Amino acid sequence: MKTPRVYIVNLGNYNRGQARGKWYDLPVDYRRVQRDLLLDEVHGEEYAIHAFENFYGFSVSEYSSIKELNAYAQQLEEVSHMDHIEDILEVYTLKEVLELGDNFDFVQADDEEDLAYEVVEQMGGLESFEPSTLELYFDYAAYGRDLALRGYRQSSNGYVRKLGR
């Protein structure tokens, strides 16, 4: 998992056209930011966040507090051991992940059809399904069209096909 980072500027210097900023990996000690950016009475005590990376959907604004961002980074660290955590954080909030723990299933798939193939394979193939479940998903109309394309011809009372040669 990539470490969350923020680009912080001394807002007073920035407003005077003296851009002074720096990238920080989180969590970061606020006293370090104060020293690095000269956040003091002379140069200005306010900071602003002008860029950020690796926050996985977490809302970061120009005026987010360092304390809040550090807390988020520490929570991320708690789940960083999980397999596919970046994928999980694309669709679930960090709060949900923390509540559910390791109760996520990840399936490598390109689309929904591929997902179905992978899940059926993981379950042991079509043999693992009850016939009533299979019938819910079987497309009789599509199968019938394929049978007609493979040689079944319609008669007045049904369908006929040649067997053998």
Side-chain angles (χ1 to χ4, degrees), residues 80-126:
S80 65
H81 69 282
M82 293 173 60
D83 291 337
H84 306 287
I85 187 61
E86 291 181 14
D87 292 295
I88 293 168
L89 287 170
E90 282 183 31
V91 293
Y92 293 97
T93 66
L94 180 57
K95 180 181 178 186
E96 291 171 311
V97 174
L98 289 166
E99 288 171 359
L100 291 170
D102 289 333
N103 292 322
F104 291 93
D105 182 30
F106 176 82
V107 178
Q108 180 79 41
D110 296 327
D111 55 34
E112 290 174 355
E113 182 178 0
D114 193 24
L115 170 65
Y117 277 109
E118 293 295 329
V119 169
V120 167
E121 184 177 311
Q122 287 177 8
M123 293 174 63
L126 291 174

Side-chain angles (χ1 to χ4, degrees), residues 1-155:
M1 171 186 288
K2 296 176 184 170
T3 302
R5 304 176 60 204
V6 290
Y7 185 79
I8 305 174
V9 298
N10 178 315
L11 194 55
N13 286 343
Y14 178 80
N15 288 336
R16 289 188 293 277
Q18 304 165 338
R20 181 178 180 90
K22 186 174 178 182
W23 279 101
Y24 293 95
D25 288 348
L26 296 177
V28 64
D29 185 343
Y30 181 68
R31 292 173 296 208
R32 177 178 166 213
V33 175
Q34 285 177 307
R35 283 191 309 273
D36 290 350
L37 301 181
L38 302 175
L39 294 175
D40 56 31
E41 291 180 19
V42 175
H43 300 94
E45 297 176 305
E46 293 184 86
Y47 65 86
I49 297 169
H50 281 195
F52 57 92
E53 296 175 344
N54 311 321
F55 276 86
Y56 308 101
F58 184 77
S59 180
V60 179
S61 77
E62 187 174 16
Y63 301 107
S64 292
S65 76
I66 301 295
K67 182 178 180 180
E68 173 189 26
L69 298 177
N70 279 342
Y72 176 80
Q74 289 167 339
Q75 288 177 325
L76 270 182
E77 183 60 33
E78 291 176 33
V79 298
S80 65
H81 69 282
M82 293 173 60
D83 291 337
H84 306 287
I85 187 61
E86 291 181 14
D87 292 295
I88 293 168
L89 287 170
E90 282 183 31
V91 293
Y92 293 97
T93 66
L94 180 57
K95 180 181 178 186
E96 291 171 311
V97 174
L98 289 166
E99 288 171 359
L100 291 170
D102 289 333
N103 292 322
F104 291 93
D105 182 30
F106 176 82
V107 178
Q108 180 79 41
D110 296 327
D111 55 34
E112 290 174 355
E113 182 178 0
D114 193 24
L115 170 65
Y117 277 109
E118 293 295 329
V119 169
V120 167
E121 184 177 311
Q122 287 177 8
M123 293 174 63
L126 291 174
E127 301 81 32
S128 65
F129 287 91
E130 293 290 325
S132 60
T133 301
L134 289 175
E135 283 196 18
L136 289 173
Y137 293 98
F138 188 76
D139 187 342
Y140 283 97
Y143 186 60
R145 279 191 303 274
D146 287 350
L147 291 172
L149 290 171
R150 293 186 190 136
Y152 279 91
R153 294 185 184 174
Q154 190 170 16
S155 72

